[in-house]
Amino acid sequence: MTDKKQQAPHLPNRGNGRALPAVAALACGLLLTAGLCLLIVRYQNAQLRERFESDTARLTALTQTQLLAHFETLLGVKGLFAASDTVDRRQFQRFLAQQDLKKNHPGFQAIQFVRMVPAAQRQPYLDAMRADAGSMPEGAPRFDIKPPGARPVHYVIEFTVPMEGNGAAIGLDLASMPSHLTALELGRDSGLPVATERVKLVQDPSGQAGFVMRVPLYRNGMPTQTVEQRQLALLGFGAIVYRVGDLMKEVIDPQLIPHMRIRIVDTGYVRGSGPPLAVPAPMFDSREAYPEVVPGGAELPGLVTHHPIEIGQRGWRLDFVARDGDRYGHNYLLPASVAVSGVVISLLIAVQLVALDRRRVLAAQLAAALAEQKAIVDNATVGIELVRDRTIRSSNQGAAGMLGYEPAEIIGRSTRAKFPSDEAYRAFGEQVYPTLLTGRSWSGDVEWVRKDGSHTWCRLHGKLVDVARPDGDSIWVSYDIGAQRQADAALQAANADLQRSLAQVARTQREVADLSELSGFLQACPALDDALDCIGEFALRLFPDSSGVVYMMEADRETLSARATWGPAPALPTLTADACWALRRGKAYRMERASASLCCPHLGAGHDAADAPYACFPLAAQANTFGLLSIRHGGPATHAAAELRYQLATAMAEHIGLALANMLLRDTLRQQSVRDPLTGLHNRRHLAEVLPRELARAHRSGAGLAVAIVDVDHFKRFNDRHGHDAGDAVLVAVAQAMLAQVRQGDLVCRYGGEEFVVLLTDIDVTLGESRSEQIRLAISQLAPAHLGQPLGQITASLGLAFYPQHGGTADSLLKSADTALYRAKEDGRNRVCVSAAPAPA
Ligand SMILES: Nc1nc2c(ncn2[C@@H]2O[C@H](COP(=O)(O)OP(=O)(O)OP(=O)(O)O)[C@@H](O)[C@H]2O)c(=O)[nH]1
């Protein structure tokens, strides 16, 4: 069995690895998508950060600008004191009123003047303040420095604007508070504005963070270039008290609050101006400052920035944390869209690649299959053709070569070119298309014409490709069966020959059997006539449509008489040798064609041997022709059949000839044994056979029977006188005379020498006596001669005995007759004496 792998078409490998490009493309696509999404996210982040940084930078700058604007107010206070070291409370209030601080700087808690009071000046100062009518007409008798206690220097809040809500701060000695004291001393020594750390404003019950910005005020006219000079020249401080929350509300764009959390921490003095803070002090938190503002989404840890600013020699750090939302929140729609699109596109690309690969594989498979199919078609031993519109559209080598064409020669030609005639082509179409139009395939044998004009037979199978389009393509497969048909024909012929041979064998066997049976019958026949009757019957068995005749030679050896016939009677019942070519030529003669001159005359004038062939066979034994077999057949036959029936006729003739020859020989021998050769009469042996039989018949029938013994008188003397030959002639003449006097059925035999016995059947005494007398008379009337010489009168004596009167047996009857003969001799010869013997008991 052929390996299936070898049968499978050679197709591209579809194993592992074919999906690799698609997977790689998908991976690349996903990677690109991820990268693109990452870039978008990063870009968005950068955008957000840029916006965030821009917002926070702007906010920081704005904060700083706003604070500077605030500080300008403080610088205005400094200018106020630069004009006069003795600015009283009313001047101060008037100055501030011009600033319209409540309106322009709502973040102010208060603006103050802090006076530096050395310990030595404490009391004078208190006295002056308590007596000062500038602030109120009755003065401020309860004014005091608080908290009480001795300190090297006091920094006393001398007046504050507004007073409402800030009155508690009047008289407060800032030197008692280390954080204030540090800031005051730093401002004093630096000559620059200085801020405090976060302080809790005593005048502010809200508890929010606060700080105080102060600017040192020096006495006019005193140098302030050095620290010492500035310490000596210090008058006090102009101060602004801030509530950080209120301040930042002025500064911060409220629209940003929902989008970010802003915290401000105080990181301590910068440039070593003071002790650093271990922990930055929170100054402001937008979440607390704007509780009414609904914050955006969650804080974005990745969107945090810090901006340091310097406020009165203190470092503030503004911490910004963006909140998720429409300003800083990530727009995931775009990356998500990109991601989804990228994934979809990647998948589509991968699917396309898979499909492309699949198409490529399918295309390769299709190409391989087509190539294989083409190879199969091209190399097929059968013919394969595509026909459309009765035109050969394609043809393989098998189809073209079958008719001696090259494919290029026959492609494009009409299918009619293959058929021997228009009629054959039309008949083919009428036979084929009814089947094809049902959608079934048609198969059949067609006779086609080769390129060289010779014809061949092809077995054809056809089918419409699309039954809905009868004029469309049809596929035809053909193979040359010319040789096969020849072989089939030869086989059929051989088979027919074999059948004929077998039939012939059977017929021959039957004929042999018939011949054998004929031989058996012929051998069993007691007489020639019986045999001849059998011949006619068997001849009809062997030659059923025949007629014929068997002629037998007559005693004259000249003529032949028809003794057995079958079918129509022969034209000549008797003939001579001249009437038959077989007898003339001494050998078998047959004639199977019309020829008047060569046709045997015994068949009759005008016999046509072409219509009725015949054969004649001489029947001979030991070169002695004794008969003729003539067979006339019913009609012509093929040469072989004619030969066979001639052989059969020959065999039949041989069988018949041999059988008849044997029969004739047997008859001759028998005749010789029972006949007297001289006279031709039956002899004594024959009489011994016949007499008992005739006696039995007479006994059965009751008829009479007579036996007469006839003896020539004085024959010895006749012999002696005329010689023995003359005696023989007399005996012959006597025999003929006796035969002439008896009836058919009677018997005349030579009993011995010159003695004869005449057996007269079915006769009574009277007739027997008269018949015996007739015999005697006939003999006596003979005038025999020999060699031209008369021999004189002949007489004979007869002894007559009758059955049953004179004997019941052959012996007794002959004895009675012999006794009667003796008496006739005794009584003078030439007479008839009847036995006188008595009837047997
Ligand atoms: N020519 C011839 N003679 C025969 C033949 N057979 C017998 N004879 C002779 O016939 C004669 C018979 O003679 P016999 O028996 O004495 O009788 P016969 O002379 O006829 O005398 P009768 O009978 O008393 O009248 C013999 O001489 C025989 O030789 C025969 O076939 N041919």
Side-chain angles (χ1 to χ4, degrees):
M1 184 176 289
T2 309
D3 193 333
K4 285 184 177 179
K5 281 187 176 178
Q6 294 176 347
Q7 293 180 344
H10 178 67
L11 299 177
N13 181 21
R14 297 184 58 205
N16 295 332
R18 298 224 59 84
L20 194 58
V23 171
L26 180 62
C28 289
L30 293 177
L31 284 174
L32 283 172
T33 301
L36 187 58
C37 290
L38 191 60
L39 283 175
I40 292 172
V41 169
R42 284 187 176 179
Y43 175 76
Q44 286 183 332
N45 287 341
Q47 290 284 320
L48 289 175
R49 174 156 292 282
E50 185 178 353
R51 178 188 293 176
F52 181 66
E53 291 291 349
S54 171
D55 288 345
T56 55
R58 181 168 52 83
L59 199 57
T60 302
L62 187 62
T63 301
Q64 205 151 17
T65 303
Q66 290 289 347
L67 288 174
L68 289 174
H70 276 270
F71 297 158
E72 285 177 0
T73 302
L74 201 54
L75 294 175
V77 172
K78 188 173 182 178
L80 178 63
F81 280 90
S84 172
D85 292 339
T86 57
V87 178
D88 61 14
R89 186 174 299 171
R90 282 189 297 275
Q91 291 175 320
F92 192 71
Q93 286 179 329
R94 190 166 51 250
F95 170 75
L96 293 178
Q98 292 175 349
Q99 301 294 318
D100 197 4
L101 296 177
K102 279 288 182 185
K103 180 181 177 185
N104 295 327
H105 302 291
F108 284 6
Q109 174 65 29
I111 185 166
Q112 300 171 334
F113 171 70
V114 178
R115 179 149 334 251
M116 189 277 291
V117 180
Q121 298 294 321
R122 171 184 174 96
Q123 195 53 45
Y125 173 72
L126 289 174
D127 293 343
M129 287 300 298
R130 290 170 182 165
D132 181 18
S135 55
M136 56 193 72
E138 67 281 11
R142 289 192 301 273
F143 178 82
D144 200 357
I145 294 174
K146 51 185 176 184
R151 285 174 285 272
V153 65
H154 301 282
Y155 293 99
V156 181
I157 298 174
E158 189 173 299
F159 42 78
T160 180
V161 176
M163 281 295 288
E164 296 82 14
N166 296 314
I170 298 297
L172 183 64
D173 182 5
L174 298 175
S176 63
M177 292 178 283
S179 60
H180 286 277
L181 180 60
T182 301
L184 291 171
E185 289 176 346
L186 182 59
R188 177 197 65 193
D189 292 345
S190 64
L192 297 174
V194 63
T196 66
E197 62 182 20
R198 170 183 171 139
V199 296
K200 183 176 185 316
L201 302 176
V202 295
Q203 65 272 40
D204 181 14
S206 68
Q208 65 174 289
F211 76 98
V212 182
M213 176 68 80
R214 296 187 180 93
V215 63
L217 302 174
Y218 298 102
R219 290 183 177 85
N220 292 310
M222 293 184 69
T224 58
Q225 282 73 28
T226 65
V227 173
E228 290 75 15
Q229 289 173 339
R230 286 193 286 271
Q231 289 177 349
L232 289 175
L234 184 67
L235 176 65
F237 292 88
I240 299 176
V241 180
Y242 292 98
R243 293 188 302 275
V244 181
D246 295 340
L247 175 63
M248 296 310 294
K249 282 182 179 178
E250 259 187 85
V251 173
I252 297 174
D253 182 358
Q255 293 182 349
L256 294 175
I257 294 304
H259 302 294
M260 64 174 69
R261 182 180 181 182
I262 305 169
R263 286 182 296 183
I264 301 174
V265 296
D266 180 11
T267 58
Y269 289 106
V270 299
R271 297 187 296 272
S273 301
L277 286 180
V279 178
M283 302 296 289
F284 175 79
D285 189 338
S286 61
R287 195 166 60 184
E288 298 168 358
Y290 295 89
E292 75 283 2
V293 176
V294 177
E299 294 179 5
L300 300 171
L303 211 56
V304 175
T305 189
H306 310 282
H307 291 284
I309 59 175
E310 186 175 330
I311 301 295
Q313 302 187 61
R314 293 193 72 88
W316 280 13
R317 193 185 73 221
L318 278 65
D319 295 336
F320 300 93
V321 180
R323 287 183 181 279
D324 197 5
D326 55 0
R327 188 168 183 82
Y328 302 120
H330 285 92
N331 180 10
Y332 292 108
L333 184 60
L334 179 60
S337 300
V338 170
V340 170
S341 301
V343 169
V344 169
I345 290 171
S346 300
L347 285 173
L348 286 175
I349 290 173
V351 168
Q352 282 296 318
L353 283 175
V354 170
L356 191 65
D357 181 67
R358 178 69 181 153
R359 279 200 297 274
R360 190 173 57 77
V361 170
L362 287 176
Q365 289 176 342
L366 181 61
L370 287 175
E372 187 170 330
Q373 182 182 353
K374 186 174 186 304
I376 291 172
V377 169
D378 288 346
N379 296 296
T381 55
V382 299
I384 301 173
E385 287 182 326
L386 181 69
V387 173
R388 191 186 323 123
D389 294 333
R390 300 172 188 269
T391 302
I392 301 168
R393 302 295 178 179
S394 69
S395 174
N396 71 342
Q397 183 64 45
M402 196 181 301
L403 300 182
Y405 293 97
E406 287 298 321
E409 290 182 280
I410 201 164
I411 290 173
R413 299 187 66 173
S414 168
T415 50
R416 163 67 183 84
K418 294 185 171 186
F419 287 83
S421 66
D422 290 338
E423 290 74 19
Y425 187 54
R426 186 166 52 253
F428 173 77
E430 291 172 352
Q431 181 187 6
V432 167
Y433 274 92
T435 301
L436 295 185
L437 291 176
T438 64
R440 291 178 288 132
S441 62
W442 180 88
S443 297
D445 296 346
V446 293
E447 186 179 21
W448 276 349
V449 181
R450 293 193 183 94
K451 183 180 178 183
D452 60 7
S454 61
H455 289 204
T456 187
W457 280 88
C458 297
R459 182 144 299 161
L460 196 58
H461 305 272
K463 196 172 191 309
L464 282 175
V465 174
D466 183 0
V467 72
R469 296 178 58 238
D471 292 332
D473 293 343
S474 55
I475 297 291
W476 297 90
V477 177
S478 58
Y479 51 94
D480 195 339
I481 59 168
Q484 180 187 337
R485 282 180 75 99
Q486 288 180 354
D488 288 346
L491 183 61
Q492 287 180 355
N495 194 32
D497 287 345
L498 178 61
Q499 293 299 326
R500 278 195 298 273
S501 298
L502 290 174
Q504 183 58 44
V505 167
R507 191 161 58 241
T508 303
Q509 286 178 339
R510 193 171 61 248
E511 292 165 354
V512 168
D514 288 342
L515 287 176
S516 176
E517 191 178 3
L518 173 61
S519 295
F521 269 92
L522 293 177
Q523 288 175 7
C525 284
L528 183 62
D529 289 336
D530 299 329
L532 291 170
D533 290 342
C534 289
I535 290 171
E537 187 173 335
F538 276 91
L540 277 176
R541 272 205 227 170
L542 294 169
F543 307 103
D545 58 346
S546 69
S547 61
V549 57
V550 176
Y551 291 96
M552 294 298 290
M553 184 71 76
E554 292 296 335
D556 59 8
R557 307 296 302 166
E558 295 290 335
T559 60
L560 295 98
S561 300
R563 298 285 297 275
T565 63
W566 65 95
L572 295 179
T574 60
L575 54 84
T576 61
D578 295 339
C580 180
W581 285 106
L583 293 174
R584 283 189 189 180
R585 298 163 71 225
K587 62 180 181 180
Y589 183 77
R590 60 191 289 200
M591 177 56 68
E592 306 211 3
R593 57 188 171 83
S595 175
S597 59
L598 296 180
C599 192
C600 291
H602 68 86
L603 292 170
H607 179 79
D608 188 352
D611 289 339
Y614 75 94
C616 293
F617 301 91
L619 303 177
Q622 297 178 344
N624 184 23
T625 300
F626 61 85
L628 173 69
L629 170 64
S630 177
I631 301 174
R632 189 173 57 200
H633 299 291
T638 62
H639 175 73
E643 288 301 315
L644 286 173
R645 72 187 182 188
Y646 179 69
Q647 291 173 8
L648 179 62
T650 302
M652 178 183 170
E654 289 176 354
H655 277 76
I656 291 174
L658 186 60
L660 293 182
N662 286 336
M663 199 166 287
L664 288 173
L665 179 61
R666 188 180 66 190
D667 283 352
T668 301
L669 292 174
R670 193 162 64 85
Q671 289 294 329
Q672 288 177 351
S673 66
V674 298
R675 293 274 183 183
D676 170 46
L678 176 63
T679 62
L681 296 176
H682 287 96
N683 59 15
R684 185 171 183 164
R685 181 186 301 164
H686 183 68
L687 179 65
E689 291 176 3
V690 171
L691 184 54
R693 193 166 64 225
E694 290 299 326
L695 282 171
R697 185 186 301 162
H699 179 72
R700 286 195 303 273
S701 65
L705 186 147
V707 173
I709 299 177
V710 181
D711 188 278
V712 181
D713 296 330
H714 300 296
F715 193 62
K716 183 175 182 308
R717 212 169 21 184
F718 193 89
N719 265 340
D720 293 342
R721 184 182 302 165
H722 300 291
H724 199 270
D725 291 343
D728 287 349
V730 168
L731 292 175
V732 170
V734 168
Q736 295 297 321
M738 287 189 292
L739 286 174
Q741 298 303 318
V742 300
R743 295 174 299 180
Q744 188 173 9
D746 293 342
L747 179 65
V748 180
C749 347
R750 187 178 177 189
Y751 198 59
E754 83 292 3
E755 201 170 53
F756 302 89
V757 171
V758 177
L759 178 61
L760 302 171
T761 60
D762 196 15
I763 198 167
D764 58 13
V765 172
T766 304
L767 188 57
E769 287 180 354
S770 64
R771 182 64 50 86
S772 297
E773 185 58 30
Q774 288 175 0
I775 292 171
R776 184 202 63 79
L777 184 59
I779 294 171
S780 66
Q781 291 176 347
L782 289 173
H786 180 65
L787 301 176
Q789 295 296 319
L791 298 177
Q793 187 183 19
I794 298 297
T795 65
S797 299
L798 286 78
L800 185 59
F802 290 93
Y803 170 82
Q805 294 89 337
H806 304 122
T809 65
D811 288 344
S812 63
L813 204 57
L814 286 171
K815 187 170 175 50
S816 295
D818 188 59
T819 302
L821 175 62
Y822 182 77
R823 194 154 40 81
K825 290 286 186 180
E826 287 293 289
D827 290 347
R829 296 184 174 83
N830 190 22
R831 65 190 63 230
V832 176
C833 282
V834 178
S835 173

